[in-house]
Amino acid sequence: EVQLVESGGGLVQPGGSLRLSCVGSGFAFSRSSMSWHRQAPGKGLEWVSGISNGGITIMYSDSVKGRFTISRDNTKNTLYLQMDSLKSEDTAVYYCAKSLSGPAPRGQGTQVTVSS
């Protein structure tokens, strides 16, 4: 059974940083492309970033390009999202998913709130 557990969310001021983590189990993490998605209050699910199994292919949505960095450590079965220069519009529940761009299967999510 695929299990994905996100952590690292919280409350941060505009301009601040957070690093999200996602630990995967129940599948071959090192052979799987992974991605981050988010859902803001009252809005649909939005793809944020994706990374191939070896980290060669990396993609970002225009809304986060230049501010967010996706990475992975296959020795720890862990996916990361470093978020810098956070804006209020980045407030959302963030999910990791076992895919390069599709939203499923995904974890339960971690809340990120950007507010002063």
Side-chain angles (χ1 to χ4, degrees), residues 18-66:
L18 279 176
R19 188 175 82 153
L20 306 183
S21 299
C22 167
V23 178
S25 61
F27 66 101
F29 183 89
S30 64
R31 294 202 297 268
S32 300
S33 295
M34 299 293 295
S35 56
W36 287 99
H37 305 254
R38 66 186 182 185
Q39 186 163 24
K43 296 188 177 181
L45 199 60
E46 175 192 13
W47 173 82
V48 172
S49 180
I51 184 169
S52 61
N53 61 327
I56 301 300
T57 299
I58 291 177
M59 303 183 295
Y60 298 98
S61 68
D62 287 343
S63 60
V64 307
K65 195 174 297 182

Side-chain angles (χ1 to χ4, degrees), residues 40-112:
K43 296 188 177 181
L45 199 60
E46 175 192 13
W47 173 82
V48 172
S49 180
I51 184 169
S52 61
N53 61 327
I56 301 300
T57 299
I58 291 177
M59 303 183 295
Y60 298 98
S61 68
D62 287 343
S63 60
V64 307
K65 195 174 297 182
R67 300 187 298 121
F68 289 11
T69 303
I70 191 171
S71 63
R72 63 191 297 160
D73 185 340
N74 287 341
T75 67
K76 297 181 180 179
N77 283 9
T78 302
L79 176 73
Y80 302 101
L81 186 68
Q82 176 66 41
M83 305 187 295
D84 299 316
S85 303
L86 282 162
K87 306 175 182 179
S88 58
E89 51 262 45
D90 294 319
T91 295
V93 178
Y94 284 72
Y95 303 90
C96 66
K98 179 183 170 296
S99 70
L100 189 59
S101 59
R106 62 179 180 268
Q108 294 300 303
T110 185
Q111 175 71 47
V112 171

